Amino acid sequence: MPMQMLAAIDVGSSEVAMKIYQFSKRTGIEEIEYVRSIVELGADTYNTGVIAYDTVRELCGVLGGFVQKLKEYRISNYVAYAGSAMREAVNRDLVLDQIRIQTGLEVQIIGNAQQRFLVLQSLAGTMVQFERLTQEGVAIVDLSSGSLQVSIYENGALQNSQNLKLGSLRVREILADMEQQTTSFVSVMEDYIGNTLRTFQRLAIKDKKVKHVIVLGEEIATLLNEVNASKNRESFNVSQFEKFYMKLMRSKDEDISKKYNIPYETATVLKPSMIIFKNLVEMLGGEVVWASNVGLCDGILADYLRAKHLFKNKHDFTEDIISMSRQVARHYESDMNHTNNVEALSLAIFDSIKKISGLSPRDRLILQAASILHDCGKYVNMMHGTDNAYYLVLNTEIIGFSEDEKHIIANVIRFNSNGEVPEYSEVASEMSHMSYVRMLKMAAILRLANGMDRSHLQRIQNVRVTVKDAELKIVANTIYDITLEQGMMETRANFFEQIYGLRPVLRQKRRV
């Protein structure tokens, strides 16, 4: 493979950064340029909800400089993402339009779950201890300027991932006016942060404990790693971390800036960052503290390499997505025996028609998640289960899925109970025509699979699915009476036939 180049651009809440990479299978990956500039979009968004035009002008100036770098390296291949400060700004579309006009760059707004997932992929690919730590139990604290993500692994699988609007810059901006009114601003920050984290502990962490805690974030990780390097170690134990924490809290922002050679604006958000992280280490019972300075730019590269099949990550993130989906289903007290059965039946049908369906391996994962989550709406109300599930999915972060993919999952669930194929107008505000067609194909499959366990008694588990002539033949190897399931198949066949042109037929092969 010849040498390739990629520029990754992160329009963040407190700074704008670009990394340029070159890579090949023979030589590996090399970061050849890293440029960054402080542009505090979050200071505008988190205070007023609007990014001021002066800030837009400053942002476009920085991005214009990035464009010149791209020309110097003759790079046309770039990915540019904007996070929470842009995502939450009321005038985001106007800002993106100005960026396009003034620089020519196409900047995409990335959802929080997708952003954190990219960073996790990069962490797994660059931290040699990652697999061992996930087996032993680890909480990954992705601490950005706008928000906080806590992802917990146990026995190698992702068990929970929650986002809080508790970023360092956001906290600083919310409490800025109080700094001159007190002699102990650190205590004010601790009280504000502690209240939110105690609620998080009560609802999400509960009594969960982990051995390791990893903090992600450019400045805080660089700071911690610098201290570790000076002590010739790769991590902190809890007492070492607490000693460093107390020393930092007693320091003035200007002294921190000079000592660690970081911009003053960055130094002003280090204390809220450290308060947040220390609280989480204590709540989670962490024994060993690690730090990594991977960020969104590195995540963009990791995702690009994965999509192009250029490098393979050792960690199986597909299993993480499925694990998270199961955790959500359990949280809403789904009938897991039923959802596991529907999941298996859905995948059996998907695999039997994959050559004629036009659906991708990614669609298989989306269908799998929809099968796992389809029953969770009954937790809210038994009368409107699929509608409730639709809203729950849209309002639940499932790390690894984009917002567009969440809309597909929600509508696959919503329409799996429909007798008629819905018109595009019913989902036009949520997805493109192409996504609509994909959604219908998956909803038709889930509708069949769900009907095959209408009793929730798993009478049909072992099936053989084949396509012959204009029929989808499903042969169930079971000793049970499946009159109900065959009746459900008959009532649900029209939807499937309209989508695929195949008539589903359920037959029984009795076990001897």
Side-chain angles (χ1 to χ4, degrees), residues 97-165:
D97 183 61
Q98 282 300 306
I99 293 172
R100 191 180 304 112
I101 291 170
Q102 295 187 39
T103 70
L105 290 175
E106 294 287 343
V107 177
Q108 305 171 62
I109 294 178
I110 187 172
N112 178 73
Q114 188 180 9
Q115 177 180 341
R116 308 301 179 157
F117 187 65
L118 297 189
V119 175
L120 277 179
Q121 288 185 74
S122 178
L123 179 67
T126 56
M127 188 175 188
V128 295
Q129 304 92 345
F130 185 82
E131 288 300 309
R132 174 173 67 84
L133 300 190
T134 60
Q135 288 292 336
E136 294 179 3
V138 62
I140 300 167
V141 180
D142 188 355
L143 187 53
S144 66
S145 299
S147 66
L148 161 73
Q149 190 83 21
V150 183
S151 303
I152 297 175
Y153 281 85
E154 290 179 333
N155 300 317
L158 184 62
Q159 300 296 321
N160 197 355
S161 189
Q162 295 281 339
N163 181 255
L164 301 173
K165 287 189 176 181

Side-chain angles (χ1 to χ4, degrees), residues 70-257:
L70 296 181
K71 290 177 180 177
E72 289 174 21
Y73 284 98
R74 298 181 180 178
I75 296 175
S76 58
N77 195 20
Y78 74 90
V79 177
Y81 284 141
S84 64
M86 188 75 73
R87 189 168 60 240
E88 295 176 26
V90 174
N91 62 335
R92 56 187 174 274
D93 292 328
L94 295 173
V95 176
L96 294 176
D97 183 61
Q98 282 300 306
I99 293 172
R100 191 180 304 112
I101 291 170
Q102 295 187 39
T103 70
L105 290 175
E106 294 287 343
V107 177
Q108 305 171 62
I109 294 178
I110 187 172
N112 178 73
Q114 188 180 9
Q115 177 180 341
R116 308 301 179 157
F117 187 65
L118 297 189
V119 175
L120 277 179
Q121 288 185 74
S122 178
L123 179 67
T126 56
M127 188 175 188
V128 295
Q129 304 92 345
F130 185 82
E131 288 300 309
R132 174 173 67 84
L133 300 190
T134 60
Q135 288 292 336
E136 294 179 3
V138 62
I140 300 167
V141 180
D142 188 355
L143 187 53
S144 66
S145 299
S147 66
L148 161 73
Q149 190 83 21
V150 183
S151 303
I152 297 175
Y153 281 85
E154 290 179 333
N155 300 317
L158 184 62
Q159 300 296 321
N160 197 355
S161 189
Q162 295 281 339
N163 181 255
L164 301 173
K165 287 189 176 181
L166 204 61
S168 53
L169 179 60
R170 191 188 296 269
V171 171
R172 192 197 75 184
E173 290 304 311
I174 290 172
L175 303 180
D177 292 341
M178 302 177 195
E179 187 168 5
Q180 304 306 319
Q181 301 172 24
T182 177
T183 56
S184 182
F185 187 54
V186 168
S187 297
V188 174
M189 289 193 290
E190 286 176 335
D191 288 344
Y192 178 83
I193 291 167
N195 173 58
T196 302
L197 290 181
R198 282 190 294 273
T199 303
F200 173 60
Q201 180 181 30
R202 177 172 57 84
L203 296 177
I205 296 178
K206 299 180 180 177
D207 58 353
K208 194 177 293 295
K209 302 295 179 185
V210 296
K211 182 177 180 180
H212 304 276
V213 185
I214 305 171
V215 64
L216 310 182
E218 182 78 28
E219 276 69 38
I220 188 172
T222 300
L223 201 64
L224 293 176
N225 284 330
E226 184 177 321
V227 174
N228 277 334
S230 69
K231 304 290 185 181
N232 195 29
R233 64 191 185 209
E234 61 180 6
S235 61
F236 289 82
N237 61 36
V238 173
S239 62
Q240 290 166 342
F241 174 71
E242 288 180 351
K243 183 178 178 181
F244 174 71
Y245 172 84
M246 295 306 298
K247 184 178 179 181
L248 190 74
M249 288 299 109
R250 288 193 295 265
S251 303
K252 295 180 179 180
D253 292 339
E254 52 266 32
D255 295 335
I256 295 172
S257 175

Side-chain angles (χ1 to χ4, degrees), residues 350 357-367 370 401-402 404-409 411-412 415 424 427 430-446 495 499-500:
F350 181 99
S357 69
L359 295 173
S360 67
R362 185 67 180 183
D363 293 323
R364 188 181 190 272
L365 180 62
I366 290 171
L367 173 64
F401 285 125
S402 68
D404 289 342
E405 288 173 330
K406 271 176 44 177
H407 278 278
I408 293 174
I409 293 169
N411 280 288
V412 167
F415 292 118
Y424 176 62
V427 296
E430 299 183 61
M431 63 187 70
S432 66
H433 275 281
M434 187 176 294
S435 294
Y436 162 71
V437 172
R438 290 164 55 211
M439 182 274 293
L440 289 181
K441 290 178 179 181
M442 288 182 268
I445 294 173
L446 179 58
F495 190 111
I499 303 299
Y500 289 102

Side-chain angles (χ1 to χ4, degrees), residues 332-352:
Y332 291 115
E333 299 186 15
S334 296
D335 180 345
M336 296 307 295
N337 290 328
H338 168 69
T339 57
N340 290 341
N341 193 34
V342 170
E343 175 191 351
L345 294 171
S346 293
L347 296 181
I349 296 170
F350 181 99
D351 292 341
S352 72

